[in-house]
Amino acid sequence: MRNVVSAVRERFQNARRTSPAIPVPLGSNRDDDCLALQALLQGTRWMPIQAANWSDMVKLATQVDAPVVLCDHDLPGVEWQKGIPQLVSASNTPCLILLSDVSDPYLWDELVRHGGFDVLTRPFQREQLLAMLDFAYTHWRTRWPSRPN
């Protein structure tokens, strides 16, 4: 059984490496976030593109038809609770992952109620980040459960 799991994991990782790049708008004005996420995503199919405020991030997400967006909890321009509806009303309805120093059930619940996807806490862990991006991408691609046609 262990060999089967290893083989599946290896095929998935190889597919991940050979897939075309997927742009990921990164709404953060924290240089340390940007550097950390770029380093963690190096060699993967995910290509972070930085935006320093909400309006730039929404424009970028629309221009590159991004399936997933990473956004800092404290991104300048508008409070994230008010910005998410603007972002998810874009034609491609990206999945928003909120970057935060803390995560608790109340933050996650509020994020989901406003149309976001999940919360990623600092310090970022590569496997958690990749798993979350892959899950969000699958969610976006399959339009499940509530993405409009």
Side-chain angles (χ1 to χ4, degrees), residues 2 7 14 35 51 61 66 75 78 100 107 116 118-120 127 140:
R2 195 174 280 181
N14 287 337
L35 292 173
L75 185 64
V78 67
S100 179
L107 176 62
D118 209 342
V119 178
L120 182 65
E127 290 306 313
W140 175 85

Side-chain angles (χ1 to χ4, degrees), residues 40-61:
L40 292 171
L41 294 174
Q42 188 171 359
T44 70
R45 65 182 176 167
W46 305 103
M47 182 179 63
I49 306 169
Q50 186 177 1
N53 59 54
W54 265 100
S55 65
D56 288 350
M57 188 182 65
V58 170
K59 287 177 195 171
L60 179 61

